[in-house]
């Protein structure tokens, strides 16, 4: 029988961050992490394309919460206690230098997730956190004074239990057995599959300022758009996938979107095109891109508006001008399925947030049972916010547990 003061199930981002902080804040506690894999921190390893986007340069709690489609309301209080600036200070205090990129994402200066992993492994060792690999938790029971965990390597007992198992269906099932409710898990942060002649031959093209609406819904977003080999990606799409995670799952990822490639109204665009007709007169429409659109995309939209490669601006009739304005501001694309965004993906769903005390991240149903990270029904758009949720929850739970 193995007895601990604190056991953390899951040696991922939240589990390690919590374990280190608990042991550091109260060195008298015997702390263990039970990790089912032969190594931990596997998602940290592959995160941010192998660079680990640890957090995001948004330092105002009221602004930061807006990046969380699920958890926005609940994270406000926790962010006042531990957020992005604290994360940066935490890592830098432990020798990990960070850098802020132009789009706000924060990475280790080494551009390697191994730096974060090495930091966690060193800190866990230094603070005597026992990390037990190849330990898969099979059941969780409440005894009179303790929690009993049965694993593939025997039973463990602990006074306080922190669950940091990420999006793991088996653990969610066990938690249902403890009367917690689980919001149905569905993928978030995915790209859209689109087969359409307008984008078929132009993978790699980026339109910088795009607005997109999902038709027959209230979902809309803005930002850069990337044409890929199978459809569309980049922030404008990823935001829709996060905010629409539940809605888009319901329609089995078959829906239509309206893309405004230039973020102007149809009417404004038409006025501009009419002016161009006057000024560009004998120039061919096809050859010279307008509205700062990438040339290859412009050409595709011109052809889609039934304007030939040799037509001049002076030749354009009313219908062609309108058709081009439509392609530029209200282009409809049919989405049929989704693909994985390789840099980052998460699961929407998890432990119902009403059952958590967000002052401590303790269960409202069971004393001495805590949660942190993706096991909760919290997830964010891409950019370092998902890890920030893990660090914040783990830090606040650690503070309460170590008391
Ligand atoms: C490819 C990819 C890239 C990403 N990049 C980024 C990024 O750059 N920035 C960002 O903010 N977010 C990123 N994310 C999201 C981020 O990785 C997660 O939100 C974060 O890892 C969640 O941390 P966690 O500790 O809750 O769960 P996890 O990191 O998933 O850890 C859970 C751990 O629990 C263990 N476990 C599960 N069940 C059991 C069990 N029964 N017994 C024992 N152990 C168990 C698992 O093996 C795992 O090690 C990325 C995700 C992916 C998939």
């Amino acid at each position: 029988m193995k007895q601990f003061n604190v056991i953390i199930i899951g040696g991922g981002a939240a589990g390690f961050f919590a374990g280190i902080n608990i042991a550091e804040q109260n060195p008298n506690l015997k702390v263990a992490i039970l990790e089912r894999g032969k190594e931990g921190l596997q998602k940290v390893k592959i995160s941010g394309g192998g660079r680990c986007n640890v957090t995001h340069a948004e330092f105002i709690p009221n602004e930061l919460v807006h990046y969380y489609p699920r958890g926005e309301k609940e994270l406000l209080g926790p962010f006042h206690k531990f957020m992005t600036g604290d994360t940066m200070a935490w890592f830098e205090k432990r020798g990990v230098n960070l850098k802020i990129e132009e789009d706000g994402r924060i990475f280790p200066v080494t551009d390697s997730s191994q730096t974060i992993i090495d930091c966690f492994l060193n800190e866990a060792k230094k603070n005597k956190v026992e990390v037990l690999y190849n330990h898969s938790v099979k059941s969780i029971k409440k005894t009179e004074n303790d929690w009993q965990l049965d694993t593939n390597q025997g039973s463990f007992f602990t006074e306080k239990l922190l669950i940091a198992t990420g999006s793991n269906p088996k653990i969610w099932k066990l938690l249902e057995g403890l009367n917690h409710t689980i919001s149905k898990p569905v993928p978030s942060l995915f790209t859209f599959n689109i087969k359409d002649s307008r984008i078929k031959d132009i993978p790699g093209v980026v339109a910088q300022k795009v607005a997109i609406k999902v038709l027959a819904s209230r979902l809309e977003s803005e930002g850069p758009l990337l044409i890929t080999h199978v459809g569309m990606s980049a922030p404008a799409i990823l935001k829709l996938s996060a905010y629409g995670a539940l809605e888009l799952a319901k329609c089995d990822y078959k829906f239509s979107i309206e893309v405004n490639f230039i973020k102007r109204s149809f009417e404004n665009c038409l006025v501009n095109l009419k002016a161009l007709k006057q000024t560009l007169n004998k120039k061919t429409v096809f050859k010279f891109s307008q509205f700062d659109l990438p040339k290859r995309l412009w050409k595709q939209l011109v052809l889609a508006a039934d304007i030939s490669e040799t037509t001049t601006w002076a030749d354009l009739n009313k219908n062609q001008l309108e058709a081009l304005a439509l392609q530029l501001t209200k282009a409809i694309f049919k989405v049929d399925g989704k693909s994985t965004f390789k840099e980052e993906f998460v699961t929407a769903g998890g432990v119902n947030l009403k059952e958590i005390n967000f002052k401590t991240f303790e269960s409202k149903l069971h004393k001495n049972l805590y949660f942190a990270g993706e096991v909760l029904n919290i997830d964010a758009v891409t950019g370092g916010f998902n890890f920030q949720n893990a660090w914040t929850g783990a830090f606040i739970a650690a503070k309460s547990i170590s008391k």
Side-chain angles (χ1 to χ4, degrees), residues 276-277 280-288 298 302-303 305-321 324:
L276 287 169
K277 182 174 155 70
L280 298 178
N281 202 353
K282 292 284 172 219
K283 291 222 158 91
T284 49
V285 182
F286 182 76
K287 264 196 196 151
F288 304 99
W298 169 260
V302 168
L303 295 178
D306 251 342
I307 299 168
S308 77
E309 292 190 21
T310 51
T311 309
T312 64
W313 282 94
D315 292 339
L316 287 181
N317 62 33
K318 185 168 166 272
N319 288 346
Q320 286 172 313
L321 283 169
L324 184 55

Side-chain angles (χ1 to χ4, degrees), residues 13-28:
F16 265 87
F17 203 72
I20 293 162
N21 282 296
I22 294 166
E24 202 177 68
Q25 286 166 30
N26 188 344
N28 296 323

